[in-house]
Amino acid sequence: VVESWSFLDTVESNFRPLVVIELAKGTKEETIEWFTKRIVDKKANGGAQLLIKPLVMENGVENIYLVGASHLRLLLGAETVGLVKECSDNSMRTFTYSSRKTFKDFADDNHNFLTMAECQYIIKHELENLRAKNEKMIPGYPQAKLYPGKSIVRRLLTSGILVQIFPLHDREELKKLRHSWYGRVKVGYQPLDDIRCYFGETIALYFGFLEYFTFALIPMAVIGIPYYVFAWEDYDKYVMFATFNLLWSTVILEVWKRICAILTYRWGTLLMKRQFEEPRPGFHGVLGINPVTGREEPVYSSLKRQLRIYLVSLPFVCLCLYFSLYVMMIYFDLEQWALDYHKENESNFSSLMLYVPSIIYAVVIEIMNRIYRYAAEFLTSWENHRLESSYQNHLILKVLVFNFLNCFASLFYIAFVLFDMKLLRQSLATLLITSQILNQFAESLLPYWLQKRYNRRMKKRMCSQKTDRELSIAEQVNMEKEMGTYLGTFDDYLELFLQFGYVSLFSCVYPLAAVFAVLNNITEIYSDALKMCRVYKRPFAEPTANIGVWQLAFETMSVISVVTNCILIGMSPQVDALFPDSKMDLVLTVALVEHLLLAIKFIMAFVIPDKPRDIQMKLAKLEFESLEALKQQVRAFQMQL
Amino acid sequence: VVESWSFLDTVESNFRPLVVIELAKGTKEETIEWFTKRIVDKKANGGAQLLIKPLVMENGVENIYLVGASHLRLLLGAETVGLVKECSDNSMRTFTYSSRKTFKDFADDNHNFLTMAECQYIIKHELENLRAKNEKMIPGYPQAKLYPGKSIVRRLLTSGILVQIFPLHDREELKKLRHSWYGRVKVGYQPLDDIRCYFGETIALYFGFLEYFTFALIPMAVIGIPYYVFAWEDYDKYVMFATFNLLWSTVILEVWKRICAILTYRWGTLLMKRQFEEPRPGFHGVLGINPVTGREEPVYSSLKRQLRIYLVSLPFVCLCLYFSLYVMMIYFDLEQWALDYHKENESNFSSLMLYVPSIIYAVVIEIMNRIYRYAAEFLTSWENHRLESSYQNHLILKVLVFNFLNCFASLFYIAFVLFDMKLLRQSLATLLITSQILNQFAESLLPYWLQKRYNRRMKKRMCSQKTDRELSIAEQVNMEKEMGTYLGTFDDYLELFLQFGYVSLFSCVYPLAAVFAVLNNITEIYSDALKMCRVYKRPFAEPTANIGVWQLAFETMSVISVVTNCILIGMSPQVDALFPDSKMDLVLTVALVEHLLLAIKFIMAFVIPDKPRDIQMKLAKLEFESLEALKQQVRAFQMQL
């Protein structure tokens, strides 16, 4: 029944599949017909004016559709989403169709002016903004209510008719990217611009941050090695190391803002205007009038949400924190038991046994983090936040607090209650290394192995011996639709955040932490790259101008680390020996130094500009131009009088 | 020679003088002719299209001109400067001439749609934006160079041809304002909206802040009184007072942001777009190309400026700080001498003598602050900053650092080196009260008295017994042009800032400080109002959306006060007595409490939203509307295809 409509170019051969829509099996014909009609319908009629084609499978009809768009449609879409591209004079400007000739590499027949990721982003945006007109419900599904202005795709998703929408991989491009990214053994930077073209800004920025952070840790690691090799335990050397670390961690976080500005200026996202935020897909409520837009849409009382947050979520989080502390105390019992065992039968085996409790604890921490993550997601989604950003903030806050306590509580306890530096060092090392190994395994290698096994079975079933490149589009879609979905950079940043904690909080006790972090991050780059290219479906590109709330999280961690390091240094026997008469003077000196360091940190953060001078100039230039243009308009109008 | 041109309305009677221009005596005829011609010339010819009239004085020609503008011209100017006014539906929108009918109270014959202060601001903006075309110099003054785009008025000012530009008072309005502001003895709020209409947003916001701050201090003062009356010295009461103060000061600063948003939303400045900043009048350099605007204008190497800042200004400031500390040591010698004297001859006179050093020191501090202020202004202007904002930031930083040390160094020394709480209390009280009396006297009462005497002499010379209302425009101009110029809110905010320091830094030692601060502020409101209405020329209105860098300064002070108060409480004998065995525990507890308080402060600052919910909603609504309008445009364009 469904055929491919087209609107601007009618030549069938022009159709390039960009995005895949999978509908549930057994979706009613009338629904499919209505939905595809809306997708291809003209903008003037409230459609998305895209191209759609059903995918013909060997084994009969599956409800899978390929979506594309004409070149002109994509250019107009680029204007709608506010894409920023480079002009012929190397400045970055918001793309408009009328000024298209001024942009670099633009030509009417150059279909590569927009990258494939950008085209897919535009199609996703257009699909999500396909809104109900007068429909009261989705045809064929009376329980799936609609109201004017409701996003059709979001309603289809929440009512289960639409299984998934995902962008297609470009096998050619992916192969090139894989090769330049991790295909050959080489020392050098990642191809961030290529990653951005293929996966979008959010993911490219994560890899940029990961790379930058690894480089930034190298000085710490290099300085840390002699401490381990020569077993330096002098007071002055430790103080120097800790002071360096504290100032260094401030500097790297400030410099990252500048590098981030350089990257996102080049990618155009620094200049991109924020779009008006629509309610998130899962948001529900009774129909009412939105006071901001004046439209009829579901509203949910803020009071009810507050009640859910403070009466359910908060107690639950506290309970989880308590449970985490309880598990910690069990760990200390185990630790004591292992120590006793070692004392009773001193052997190689028993000294190995000393590490077992820490390893078990590290595994338990990882498991608890993951379970808690699910609970936090469930709770935050139950809190029914209207906006995705508010949902994300509440989720991140919940997860960060628990992860911080879960990972570091035992270390704080060892350091500031037990005062056992030897145990602290051992525990820190075991936790850090175990969690890194577990993460690498669970996040990349295991999924990679599963995916590979699945692919092999799939190919066998299809009885084809073709290589990836020769796969037909149907086979490619069939393979990709079964791949896992990449759930965003949250877990990756969280891992880095905890690593930063291990490295900085107790850096003066275990200088080797930075070395392990660097080693881990180098393999992390490769395993994350593998994960993106091989394991998961291609994610939609998401324009972003910075790493958002993670910047704040890292900065908070570096403030806390000033406090912990100062206390640790103050507690060391070498420093203690410097104040033989009065412990009072010692404590006062430590407190003074801590305040000085904190003051220096804040002043440094204030003094170092967030954007490099040349980016500032370019932004000022753009602002000046737009103000001038406005003035010209006013002047032209005044002259008419 | 010069007559009044007009452009849109030719009716002479329509001319309402708004702004006065005073040229130097003996200015060449050709210069006057050229300048007035440029002012009245059409926009299309690069003129300002304003009205100008020479002021005919009884005692012959003085080079004084009155500037006005037609009603239409002012409306167009309001669009140019981006004024935000209230619409008929109570929302605030940027005024445009084409949408004028939608604004509240707009009618073509309603000449009060724009307030007089707004009209004067528009005229000032238009005069300052009167730019040279092809003139290489000011006609008649070959040494006063011009280049295309240079502001003519600024060049005339820097070369001394233009003596001053100031807006005229409106005797009627001023009388009404005076009456409602301080004319009758009443308890109640100030007429902030009227002040804003007459003096503009910057000044109204200062009075708003002064009033708010006074109200905010009342709880502190009320709680502080019983401490004095009953001479409470219990540990727990002090801790409670200090803790309350610390949290309270955070709350009041956060709440101020919200109140400020409410005020400036109502006044329209919250929504006003920032104008592109032109070089400040005093900026000089060799002609070059500005990389941002691409125009030829003076440029000054950033390196040279940095050298001046770090090699001259910084050492000078350090020297001044050293000198201030030196003076402080002399004060302590004096204090010692007074104490010895009191011990030798105990009498009423000698016990009075105990206060003399503090009073002398307070006077010296005030004098040093004022002298330093001039030096700082000279130095900062010599640093040759391109933008007014950068000049202001450097000036404020210089002045704040010195004032802070100059005022509080002795108190810190007494508290944390001498550990003399009795002297601290006495010194704090003397400094606070003396500086408040001096300030009130030097800032308002003395100028008021001088102005009054001058006015009386003037009137006598004019041999007229007319009241203010009956003065002719010539007499009014003649009187106002000799009045002092109000130099902005800097000194007023600085005074409040130092007062905040006296109140909060050592609040737990001297709870009565808040009482004096409240009393001072109540009279300060009246004396500042007197100063604005009676002593100074009317200042030009300046739109502003917040109190700028002062918010940061006050917040920093409140962070410092957490530290000082915690230390003071830790040092009190009552707290000392709680830890009889271990001073160590005492210090650790104090440090812990301090960190907790700081953490709570930062969390509170983070959690309390900067704008009230309804303002947020209104802003979101405006943003939504402008995005919708943009989308409509794009859609309309796409439909044409």
Side-chain angles (χ1 to χ4, degrees):
Chain A
V1 189
V2 183
E3 286 167 356
S4 67
W5 294 269
S6 61
F7 109 94
L8 283 158
D9 41 0
T10 44
V11 192
E12 181 67 35
S13 68
N14 257 349
F15 183 81
R16 182 195 183 196
L18 288 167
V19 172
V20 177
I21 292 182
E22 183 183 357
L23 297 178
K25 274 176 194 153
T27 304
K28 293 185 182 150
E29 272 302 312
E30 59 170 324
T31 315
I32 297 174
E33 199 161 339
W34 166 78
F35 184 44
T36 46
K37 176 89 171 39
R38 290 298 306 270
I39 289 175
V40 296
D41 221 354
K42 290 212 174 202
K43 270 273 175 194
N45 303 334
Q49 229 166 347
L50 300 172
L51 308 174
I52 193 166
K53 238 176 109 170
L55 185 71
V56 184
M57 302 292 273
E58 292 168 15
N59 50 354
V61 174
E62 274 195 81
N63 283 330
I64 293 178
Y65 297 84
L66 300 174
V67 182
S70 71
H71 184 51
L72 176 58
R73 180 70 192 81
L74 289 172
L75 291 178
L76 294 173
E79 178 166 349
T80 314
V81 299
L83 233 51
V84 172
K85 302 283 282 181
E86 193 175 359
C87 282
S88 311
D89 63 348
N90 294 327
S91 65
M92 304 297 298
R93 269 163 230 275
T94 307
F95 179 80
T96 62
Y97 186 73
S98 51
S99 67
R100 63 193 181 281
K101 303 276 185 211
T102 60
F103 285 83
K104 202 171 172 178
D105 297 331
F106 183 88
D108 279 324
D109 55 347
N110 176 12
H111 287 210
N112 293 324
F113 175 67
L114 298 173
T115 65
M116 188 171 171
E118 280 168 344
C119 294
Q120 289 167 336
Y121 172 69
I122 291 166
I123 287 185
K124 174 185 171 229
H125 181 267
E126 294 294 342
L127 285 177
E128 280 190 344
N129 276 283
L130 188 61
R131 292 176 187 287
K133 291 183 292 186
N134 302 318
E135 295 97 334
K136 291 265 169 279
M137 47 156 216
I138 286 171
Y141 294 86
Q143 79 284 10
K145 294 269 183 297
L146 285 177
Y147 50 87
K150 171 73 188 174
S151 164
I152 290 172
V153 167
R154 292 187 171 203
R155 169 57 77 233
L156 286 171
L157 274 172
T158 47
S159 53
I161 302 165
L162 186 58
V163 179
Q164 59 178 345
I165 303 186
F166 63 91
L168 271 178
H169 268 299
D170 179 337
R171 300 259 143 192
E172 276 298 310
E173 281 298 314
L174 184 60
K175 205 178 168 193
K176 271 191 229 159
L177 177 65
R178 273 210 309 259
H179 182 71
S180 67
W181 200 355
Y182 63 90
R184 52 214 157 115
V185 178
K186 45 118 209 187
V187 178
Y189 300 107
Q190 298 172 84
L192 285 183
D193 289 332
D194 296 341
I195 299 172
R196 176 245 164 184
C197 280
Y198 197 84
F199 287 112
E201 288 79 13
T202 306
I203 288 166
L205 213 52
Y206 163 69
F207 281 101
F209 182 69
L210 177 56
E211 180 179 283
Y212 169 78
F213 189 62
T214 310
F215 275 110
L217 284 178
I218 287 177
M220 283 191 188
V222 169
I223 299 179
I225 290 173
Y227 282 82
Y228 180 76
V229 175
F230 304 118
W232 285 346
E233 299 267 339
D234 313 355
Y235 141 78
D236 50 345
K237 293 211 182 74
Y238 263 116
V239 170
M240 268 170 56
F241 183 68
T243 313
F244 169 77
N245 265 11
L246 298 176
L247 298 181
W248 183 242
S249 67
T250 310
V251 171
I252 60 174
L253 289 176
E254 288 300 311
V255 171
W256 165 250
K257 282 191 212 157
R258 296 164 67 92
I259 291 181
C260 185
I262 295 175
L263 285 176
T264 53
Y265 176 80
R266 194 167 72 212
W267 298 341
T269 45
L270 188 63
L271 296 168
M272 239 171 128
K273 297 272 178 306
R274 209 162 57 82
Q275 301 271 328
F276 190 80
E277 232 184 320
E278 298 291 335
R280 60 188 299 268
F283 177 69
H284 56 86
V286 290
L287 273 190
I289 302 291
N290 180 327
V292 171
T293 60
R295 290 179 190 154
E296 200 180 45
E297 62 170 48
V299 286
Y300 186 77
S301 123
S302 167
L303 179 73
K304 266 193 201 164
R305 188 178 305 124
Q306 300 289 331
L307 284 179
R308 285 186 173 189
I309 292 175
Y310 289 108
L311 294 186
V312 179
S313 295
L314 189 66
F316 176 78
V317 172
C318 291
L319 205 74
C320 287
L321 295 178
Y322 176 78
F323 181 72
S324 158
L325 293 179
Y326 190 79
V327 169
M328 183 187 86
M329 296 320 292
I330 296 179
Y331 155 64
F332 283 118
D333 287 349
L334 266 181
E335 190 76 53
Q336 192 56 47
W337 176 83
L339 215 64
D340 292 347
Y341 181 83
H342 178 63
K343 264 185 198 152
E344 278 170 31
N345 1 248
E346 286 214 22
S347 65
N348 277 343
F349 173 74
S350 74
S351 68
L352 215 69
M353 275 295 282
L354 280 179
Y355 285 92
V356 171
S358 291
I359 293 176
I360 294 177
Y361 185 50
V363 174
V364 170
I365 284 180
E366 280 299 313
I367 294 172
M368 273 165 41
N369 278 351
R370 266 151 219 276
I371 294 175
Y372 178 82
R373 178 70 201 281
Y374 286 109
E377 263 173 24
F378 174 79
L379 267 183
T380 317
S381 133
W382 177 73
E383 282 162 19
N384 200 14
H385 293 275
R386 187 172 165 273
L387 299 179
E388 184 64 30
S389 60
S390 146
Y391 169 85
Q392 286 292 341
N393 287 341
H394 277 85
L395 178 62
I396 290 182
L397 187 67
K398 280 196 193 68
V399 173
L400 278 192
V401 167
F402 181 80
N403 275 258
F404 184 85
L405 197 89
N406 201 19
C407 291
F408 302 125
S410 67
L411 300 177
F412 275 94
Y413 188 80
I414 296 173
F416 305 126
V417 180
L418 301 182
F419 300 116
D420 187 342
M421 290 306 127
K422 201 164 152 277
L423 182 60
L424 178 61
R425 202 168 300 173
Q426 178 207 314
S427 195
L428 180 62
T430 323
L431 281 182
L432 175 65
I433 296 168
T434 315
S435 79
Q436 287 184 345
I437 292 173
L438 281 179
N439 262 314
Q440 298 264 7
F441 180 74
E443 274 187 15
S444 308
L445 301 181
L446 183 68
Y448 178 64
W449 178 74
L450 287 176
Q451 184 63 35
K452 209 157 188 181
R453 217 181 55 165
Y454 172 78
N455 279 4
R456 227 176 298 135
R457 263 195 302 165
M458 275 292 282
K459 274 193 197 164
K460 228 176 251 166
R461 213 176 58 189
M462 285 193 260
C463 300
S464 77
Q465 292 300 319
K466 292 183 268 189
T467 64
D468 277 7
R469 277 170 83 175
E470 292 158 340
L471 285 177
S472 77
I473 187 87
E475 284 162 331
Q476 188 193 337
V477 169
N478 227 9
M479 201 123 97
E480 284 182 18
K481 86 180 167 66
E482 300 298 333
M483 287 169 118
T485 306
Y486 181 64
L487 292 170
T489 48
F490 187 102
D491 288 307
D492 297 317
Y493 278 116
L494 183 63
E495 205 186 319
L496 277 186
F497 172 75
L498 294 177
Q499 185 192 69
F500 184 58
Y502 284 121
V503 172
S504 62
L505 284 178
F506 306 97
S507 65
C508 62
V509 170
Y510 190 55
L512 219 54
V515 179
F516 284 109
V518 169
L519 290 180
N520 173 69
N521 286 0
I522 292 173
T523 57
E524 177 93 19
I525 291 178
Y526 285 92
S527 68
D528 279 351
L530 189 75
K531 175 172 91 175
M532 290 313 304
C533 295
R534 286 284 197 180
V535 179
Y536 289 124
K537 279 191 200 88
R538 184 175 189 171
F540 276 109
E542 275 304 325
T544 184
N546 50 55
I547 61 171
V549 74
W550 293 105
Q551 183 82 38
L552 186 68
F554 275 79
E555 280 165 10
T556 310
M557 181 69 94
S558 92
V559 168
I560 298 175
S561 72
V562 170
V563 181
T564 52
N565 278 294
C566 283
I567 302 177
L568 282 178
I569 290 181
M571 277 168 23
S572 72
Q574 295 87 358
V575 179
D576 229 33
L578 282 183
F579 297 88
D581 319 322
S582 152
K583 292 297 148 239
M584 189 79 167
D585 285 354
L586 166 69
V587 177
L588 289 179
T589 313
V590 169
L592 189 71
V593 168
E594 186 222 329
H595 282 84
L596 276 181
L597 280 174
L598 281 177
I600 294 175
K601 258 184 94 72
F602 281 110
I603 293 173
M604 264 166 57
F606 189 76
V607 167
I608 300 176
D610 285 357
K611 296 190 183 87
R613 217 180 136 68
D614 65 315
I615 301 279
Q616 277 177 24
M617 296 289 267
K618 282 172 186 162
L619 293 181
K621 200 169 171 179
L622 280 178
E623 199 197 334
F624 171 75
E625 278 172 14
S626 76
L627 285 173
E628 278 299 292
L630 204 71
K631 240 191 252 171
Q632 288 295 342
Q633 276 178 22
V634 174
R635 208 171 293 157
F637 174 72
Q638 291 184 354
M639 279 179 191
Q640 289 167 14
L641 293 166
Chain B
V1 189
V2 183
E3 288 166 356
S4 68
W5 294 268
S6 62
F7 110 94
L8 283 159
D9 42 358
T10 43
V11 192
E12 182 66 37
S13 67
N14 258 350
F15 183 82
R16 180 196 186 194
L18 289 167
V19 172
V20 176
I21 293 182
E22 183 182 359
L23 297 177
K25 273 173 194 155
T27 304
K28 294 186 182 149
E29 272 302 312
E30 60 171 322
T31 313
I32 297 174
E33 200 162 336
W34 166 77
F35 183 44
T36 47
K37 175 88 171 44
R38 288 300 306 271
I39 288 176
V40 298
D41 222 355
K42 289 211 174 202
K43 270 272 174 194
N45 304 333
Q49 229 167 348
L50 301 172
L51 308 173
I52 192 166
K53 240 175 108 169
L55 184 73
V56 184
M57 303 292 273
E58 293 167 15
N59 52 353
V61 173
E62 275 195 82
N63 283 330
I64 292 178
Y65 297 85
L66 301 174
V67 181
S70 72
H71 183 52
L72 175 59
R73 180 68 192 84
L74 287 173
L75 290 178
L76 295 173
E79 178 167 348
T80 314
V81 298
L83 234 51
V84 173
K85 303 283 282 180
E86 193 176 357
C87 282
S88 311
D89 62 347
N90 295 326
S91 64
M92 306 297 298
R93 270 161 229 275
T94 307
F95 178 81
T96 62
Y97 186 74
S98 51
S99 66
R100 63 193 182 281
K101 304 275 187 210
T102 60
F103 285 84
K104 202 172 173 177
D105 298 330
F106 184 88
D108 278 323
D109 56 347
N110 176 13
H111 287 209
N112 292 324
F113 175 68
L114 298 173
T115 66
M116 190 173 170
E118 280 168 346
C119 294
Q120 289 167 335
Y121 172 68
I122 291 166
I123 288 185
K124 176 187 168 230
H125 180 267
E126 294 294 340
L127 285 176
E128 280 189 345
N129 276 283
L130 190 60
R131 294 176 184 287
K133 291 183 294 186
N134 302 317
E135 296 98 334
K136 291 267 168 278
M137 46 156 216
I138 286 170
Y141 295 84
Q143 78 284 7
K145 295 270 184 295
L146 285 176
Y147 49 88
K150 170 75 188 174
S151 163
I152 290 172
V153 166
R154 294 188 168 201
R155 169 57 76 234
L156 286 170
L157 273 171
T158 46
S159 53
I161 302 165
L162 186 58
V163 178
Q164 58 178 346
I165 302 185
F166 63 91
L168 270 177
H169 267 300
D170 181 335
R171 299 261 145 192
E172 277 299 309
E173 281 298 314
L174 184 61
K175 207 178 164 195
K176 269 190 233 161
L177 177 65
R178 274 210 309 260
H179 182 71
S180 66
W181 200 355
Y182 63 90
R184 54 216 156 112
V185 179
K186 45 117 210 187
V187 179
Y189 299 108
Q190 298 172 86
L192 285 184
D193 289 331
D194 297 340
I195 299 172
R196 176 245 162 182
C197 280
Y198 196 85
F199 287 113
E201 288 79 14
T202 305
I203 288 166
L205 212 51
Y206 163 69
F207 281 101
F209 183 68
L210 176 56
E211 181 178 283
Y212 169 78
F213 189 61
T214 310
F215 276 111
L217 284 177
I218 287 178
M220 283 190 189
V222 169
I223 299 181
I225 290 174
Y227 281 82
Y228 180 76
V229 175
F230 305 117
W232 285 346
E233 300 268 340
D234 314 353
Y235 141 78
D236 49 345
K237 293 213 181 71
Y238 264 116
V239 169
M240 267 170 55
F241 183 69
T243 313
F244 169 77
N245 265 12
L246 298 177
L247 297 182
W248 184 242
S249 66
T250 311
V251 171
I252 60 175
L253 289 176
E254 287 301 310
V255 172
W256 166 249
K257 281 192 216 158
R258 296 164 67 94
I259 292 182
C260 185
I262 294 175
L263 287 176
T264 53
Y265 176 80
R266 195 166 72 213
W267 297 341
T269 46
L270 188 64
L271 295 168
M272 241 171 128
K273 297 273 180 307
R274 208 162 56 84
Q275 301 270 328
F276 189 78
E277 233 183 319
E278 298 291 333
R280 59 187 300 268
F283 177 69
H284 55 85
V286 289
L287 273 189
I289 301 292
N290 179 328
V292 171
T293 60
R295 290 179 191 153
E296 201 181 43
E297 63 171 45
V299 285
Y300 186 76
S301 121
S302 166
L303 180 73
K304 267 193 200 164
R305 186 178 305 125
Q306 299 290 330
L307 284 179
R308 286 186 174 189
I309 292 176
Y310 289 109
L311 295 186
V312 179
S313 295
L314 189 64
F316 176 79
V317 172
C318 291
L319 205 74
C320 288
L321 293 178
Y322 176 78
F323 181 73
S324 157
L325 293 178
Y326 190 79
V327 169
M328 182 187 87
M329 295 320 291
I330 296 178
Y331 156 66
F332 283 117
D333 286 349
L334 266 180
E335 191 74 53
Q336 192 56 47
W337 176 83
L339 214 65
D340 292 347
Y341 181 84
H342 176 64
K343 265 185 196 152
E344 278 169 30
N345 1 250
E346 287 214 22
S347 67
N348 276 344
F349 173 74
S350 74
S351 68
L352 215 69
M353 275 295 283
L354 279 178
Y355 285 92
V356 172
S358 290
I359 295 176
I360 295 178
Y361 185 50
V363 174
V364 170
I365 283 180
E366 278 300 313
I367 296 172
M368 274 167 38
N369 277 351
R370 267 152 218 275
I371 295 176
Y372 177 81
R373 177 71 201 280
Y374 288 109
E377 264 172 24
F378 174 79
L379 266 183
T380 317
S381 131
W382 177 73
E383 282 163 19
N384 201 14
H385 293 274
R386 186 171 167 274
L387 298 180
E388 184 64 28
S389 60
S390 146
Y391 169 85
Q392 285 293 342
N393 287 342
H394 276 85
L395 178 63
I396 290 182
L397 186 66
K398 279 194 192 73
V399 173
L400 278 192
V401 167
F402 180 80
N403 274 259
F404 184 86
L405 197 89
N406 201 19
C407 291
F408 302 126
S410 66
L411 300 177
F412 275 94
Y413 188 81
I414 295 172
F416 305 126
V417 180
L418 301 182
F419 300 116
D420 186 342
M421 290 306 127
K422 202 164 153 278
L423 182 60
L424 178 61
R425 203 169 299 174
Q426 178 207 315
S427 194
L428 180 62
T430 324
L431 281 181
L432 176 64
I433 296 167
T434 316
S435 79
Q436 288 183 344
I437 293 173
L438 282 179
N439 262 314
Q440 298 263 7
F441 182 73
E443 274 187 14
S444 308
L445 302 180
L446 184 68
Y448 177 65
W449 178 74
L450 287 175
Q451 183 64 34
K452 208 158 189 180
R453 217 180 55 166
Y454 171 81
N455 279 2
R456 227 178 294 131
R457 265 194 301 164
M458 274 292 282
K459 275 193 195 160
K460 228 175 251 163
R461 215 177 56 190
M462 286 194 259
C463 299
S464 79
Q465 292 299 317
K466 293 183 270 189
T467 63
D468 277 6
R469 276 172 83 176
E470 292 158 339
L471 284 177
S472 77
I473 187 87
E475 285 162 331
Q476 188 193 338
V477 169
N478 227 9
M479 201 125 96
E480 284 182 19
K481 84 181 170 64
E482 299 299 331
M483 287 168 117
T485 306
Y486 179 65
L487 293 170
T489 48
F490 187 102
D491 288 308
D492 297 317
Y493 278 116
L494 184 62
E495 205 185 319
L496 277 186
F497 172 75
L498 295 177
Q499 185 192 69
F500 184 58
Y502 284 120
V503 171
S504 61
L505 284 179
F506 307 96
S507 66
C508 62
V509 170
Y510 190 55
L512 219 55
V515 179
F516 284 109
V518 169
L519 291 180
N520 173 70
N521 286 0
I522 292 172
T523 57
E524 176 93 19
I525 290 176
Y526 286 93
S527 67
D528 278 351
L530 190 75
K531 175 172 92 176
M532 291 312 305
C533 295
R534 287 285 196 179
V535 179
Y536 289 124
K537 279 191 200 86
R538 183 175 190 172
F540 276 109
E542 275 303 326
T544 183
N546 49 54
I547 62 171
V549 73
W550 292 106
Q551 184 80 39
L552 187 67
F554 275 79
E555 280 165 9
T556 310
M557 182 70 94
S558 92
V559 168
I560 297 175
S561 72
V562 170
V563 181
T564 53
N565 278 295
C566 283
I567 302 178
L568 282 177
I569 289 181
M571 277 168 24
S572 73
Q574 295 87 357
V575 178
D576 230 34
L578 282 184
F579 297 88
D581 318 321
S582 152
K583 293 296 150 239
M584 190 76 167
D585 285 355
L586 166 68
V587 177
L588 289 178
T589 312
V590 169
L592 189 71
V593 168
E594 186 223 331
H595 282 85
L596 275 180
L597 281 174
L598 282 177
I600 293 174
K601 258 182 94 72
F602 281 109
I603 292 173
M604 263 165 57
F606 189 76
V607 166
I608 301 176
D610 285 359
K611 297 191 182 83
R613 214 181 138 69
D614 65 315
I615 301 279
Q616 277 177 25
M617 296 290 267
K618 284 171 184 163
L619 293 180
K621 201 169 170 178
L622 281 177
E623 198 197 335
F624 170 75
E625 278 172 14
S626 76
L627 283 174
E628 277 300 292
L630 204 71
K631 239 192 253 170
Q632 287 296 340
Q633 275 179 22
V634 173
R635 207 170 294 155
F637 174 73
Q638 292 185 356
M639 278 179 192
Q640 289 166 15
L641 293 166

